[in-house]
Amino acid sequence: MAKKSNPGQNGTTKLWGGRFTEATDPTVERFSASIHFDQALARYDIRGSIAHARMLGRSGLIPDGDADALVAGLEKIAVEIETGEFPFDPALEDIHMNIEARLTEAVGPVAGRLHTGRSRNDQVATDLALYLQDACIAAQRGILELRAVLVERAAEHIDTVLPGYTHLQRAQPVRLAHHWLAFFEHLGRDAGRFADAAERLRECPLGAGALAGSTLNLDRNDTASALGFDGPTRNSLDTVSARDVALEVMADAAICMVGLSRMAEELVIWSSSEFGFIELADAYSTGSSLMPQKKNPDVPELVRGKSGRAVGNLVSLLTTVKGLPLSYNRDMQEDKEPLFDSVATLRDCLQVMAGSVATLRVNVDRMAAAASDPMLLATDLAEALVLGGVPFREAHEAVGRIVAHCVESGEDLAGLSQKTLQQFHPAFNAGADTLLDAEQSFARRDLPGATARVRVEAAVEAARTEIDGIRERLEGESGP
Ligand code: ARG
């Protein structure tokens, strides 16, 4: 039977080959195309193809001259992609076929040798692994910049005191430095999760073929080391089926974003007139189109809002892969949009959060006034009794009665004399004024991880050292 051609929109021909006699229905073409999003993989795809072509030449599977021609053509296409001149064609479905078709235009029929021993299944798995490696480094760098800002703002505010909250009720006073270093810690674990995921991206998928390897003597170690992997993956079926590391990176992004969302929520609350703890810089705020007096915290609100996308993206891909049999299934093409979105959203949110925190103004007096209520030190009174040998429950009960007395009589807790205190418990051996001195209270909280000045100062120094170390390590990584 005469073979009908299967033309793409640019007059190029699809690569399905002799099995097909009819052109793809235009609706199906549109429905199945991924080029509008997987073009983000272009540079990884070309790197993979160059490594593959060189290996084919070195292994004697194609003539050396052909390998050279393929590499030269691919390098030319890489430039076209960088400069935005590459003519992406939706009729050619995805990035892999777009590049191969363009290579045919560039180097002629020899382009037909590139796909020797390769499938788009191991090809896309390789592209994704390389993309995810870069994404893990980019996330660590973004997190590092935000952490660096937090440390420097913390260093400025070691002596700025605000109430620490539980249940959004004033609980005990803390230093603003301590508060910001709390986010520093969370972000450190977030970065650790990305570094950890990168450990599972050390094996090269190329050579797994469609699902079962190849009859050709491909040198998988050669392509793996050319692409910077430690070696080839160990099971061809797993290689083309698995999307767990993509899921892991999306989960890491979702966790980090949820943390950023909490941080953002606080900036929103703190910048309200009710709190008045901070003022966001003009550069990181917006006005109202109607109310001239308004200065809105849209940036942290959007960070809070966008965390929903990161969570949704993760759930979307988890749901996509959950019912899939081994090995490759076309459903898996749905991995890319949510993945790319999570990576880009996280990058942007980290950047604007770093800018917001770096530029916000702290209202030290408002914070201090909110923290000055002596009631916030009621626990200190109970602990003073404990030091005098009183069981904590008994001390708690006595101080509870003291607080109730102050609430009822309107007396200032800090003003109670030793005599008054002793009416509630005989073990009080000083007046509340001494026991409730804020500075002394801080100084007494001298435990690892607590709010004493020396501890917080040391934490700032340790954080700076940590930042320097990570910066040095990440500078050594190639990455995006
Ligand atoms: N665009 C496809 C994807 O992203 C590439 C792999 C296609 N493989 C196939 N057998 N149809 O998943």
Side-chain angles (χ1 to χ4, degrees), residues 16 32 34 37-38 41 93-96 119-122 124 128 210 243 328-336:
W16 304 138
S32 58
S34 55
F37 52 84
D38 68 11
L41 296 175
E93 202 176 292
D94 60 20
I95 185 61
H96 322 297
S119 156
R120 283 185 295 155
N121 298 351
D122 59 343
V124 76
L128 272 178
R243 290 295 180 270
Y328 179 82
N329 299 274
R330 189 61 181 274
D331 317 44
M332 287 154 65
Q333 180 168 293
E334 293 296 312
D335 58 358
K336 292 174 199 59

Side-chain angles (χ1 to χ4, degrees), residues 270-332:
W270 282 9
S271 60
S272 69
S273 311
E274 282 69 14
F275 269 78
F277 281 5
I278 58 165
E279 187 185 339
L280 293 170
D282 287 355
Y284 285 87
S285 311
T286 48
S288 159
S289 58
L290 189 135
M291 299 164 282
Q293 87 283 9
K294 295 276 310 260
K295 183 168 177 186
N296 293 329
D298 290 35
V299 172
E301 285 175 308
L302 277 168
V303 170
R304 194 175 58 186
K306 282 172 192 286
S307 66
R309 291 167 68 136
V311 175
N313 288 337
L314 170 62
V315 173
S316 153
L317 185 57
L318 282 168
T319 313
T320 297
V321 298
K322 82 170 268 298
L324 301 183
L326 293 185
S327 63
Y328 179 82
N329 299 274
R330 189 61 181 274
D331 317 44
M332 287 154 65

Side-chain angles (χ1 to χ4, degrees), residues 68-403:
D68 292 341
L70 291 174
V71 171
L74 288 162
E75 281 170 349
K76 218 179 97 194
I77 293 172
V79 175
E80 284 182 0
I81 286 169
E82 290 303 322
T83 56
E85 286 159 42
F86 187 92
F88 292 107
D89 180 358
L92 290 166
E93 202 176 292
D94 60 20
I95 185 61
H96 322 297
M97 299 215 289
N98 265 266
I99 290 175
E100 193 174 335
R102 185 76 180 148
L103 188 64
T104 309
E105 287 170 10
V107 303
V110 69
R113 291 197 185 276
L114 176 63
H115 216 50
T116 306
R118 190 175 70 168
S119 156
R120 283 185 295 155
N121 298 351
D122 59 343
Q123 190 176 355
V124 76
T126 307
D127 292 6
L128 272 178
L130 295 170
Y131 170 87
L132 287 167
Q133 287 174 357
D134 276 0
C136 286
I137 292 173
Q140 290 178 73
R141 288 194 174 134
I143 292 171
L144 179 74
E145 293 317 318
L146 175 53
R147 294 181 86 206
V149 167
L150 283 165
V151 179
E152 291 319 310
R153 295 291 342 233
E156 277 173 53
H157 288 285
I158 290 179
D159 288 317
T160 302
V161 175
L162 76 158
Y165 294 82
T166 61
H167 315 268
L168 201 57
Q169 306 288 322
R170 289 177 188 167
Q172 289 174 343
V174 295
R175 298 173 184 281
L176 180 55
H178 194 62
H179 192 104
W180 274 338
L181 287 180
F183 293 116
F184 177 90
E185 291 297 318
H186 191 299
L187 285 159
R189 293 190 298 277
D190 291 330
R193 274 182 276 273
F194 285 103
D196 194 44
E199 289 300 308
R200 277 175 285 288
L201 292 164
R202 302 301 318 145
E203 292 177 350
C204 183
L206 212 50
L211 77 164
S214 174
T215 62
L216 302 170
N217 193 20
L218 307 172
D219 186 347
R220 293 196 65 197
N221 286 308
D222 180 281
T223 37
S225 77
L227 292 170
F229 291 96
D230 294 343
T233 53
R234 298 187 299 178
N235 181 301
S236 61
L237 287 172
D238 172 57
T239 302
V240 297
S241 308
R243 290 295 180 270
D244 57 296
V245 187
L247 284 170
E248 185 176 356
V249 168
M250 289 166 79
D252 296 349
I255 294 170
C256 184
M257 281 292 307
V258 167
L260 291 182
S261 178
R262 297 178 69 172
M263 199 171 154
E265 162 69 0
E266 212 165 69
L267 297 184
V268 172
I269 297 180
W270 282 9
S271 60
S272 69
S273 311
E274 282 69 14
F275 269 78
F277 281 5
I278 58 165
E279 187 185 339
L280 293 170
D282 287 355
Y284 285 87
S285 311
T286 48
S288 159
S289 58
L290 189 135
M291 299 164 282
Q293 87 283 9
K294 295 276 310 260
K295 183 168 177 186
N296 293 329
D298 290 35
V299 172
E301 285 175 308
L302 277 168
V303 170
R304 194 175 58 186
K306 282 172 192 286
S307 66
R309 291 167 68 136
V311 175
N313 288 337
L314 170 62
V315 173
S316 153
L317 185 57
L318 282 168
T319 313
T320 297
V321 298
K322 82 170 268 298
L324 301 183
L326 293 185
S327 63
Y328 179 82
N329 299 274
R330 189 61 181 274
D331 317 44
M332 287 154 65
Q333 180 168 293
E334 293 296 312
D335 58 358
K336 292 174 199 59
E337 284 171 292
L339 171 63
F340 297 166
D341 185 70
S342 284
V343 169
T345 301
L346 176 65
R347 178 199 58 210
D348 293 349
C349 289
L350 286 166
Q351 215 174 354
V352 294
M353 281 302 274
S356 301
V357 175
T359 55
L360 63 79
R361 199 182 57 75
V362 176
N363 192 337
V364 174
D365 296 339
R366 278 291 285 244
M367 286 188 177
S372 67
D373 180 353
M375 290 290 194
L376 302 192
L377 297 177
T379 316
D380 289 45
L381 283 188
E383 287 176 354
L385 287 178
V386 166
L387 288 178
V390 179
F392 179 71
R393 278 291 159 231
E394 187 182 321
H396 185 281
E397 157 73 26
V399 176
R401 281 186 283 109
I402 295 171
V403 169

Side-chain angles (χ1 to χ4, degrees), residues 17-37:
R19 169 78 175 75
F20 280 71
T21 54
E22 281 179 34
T24 314
D25 187 276
T27 352
V28 173
E29 209 163 75
R30 222 177 337 107
F31 179 69
S32 58
S34 55
I35 188 61
H36 52 290
F37 52 84

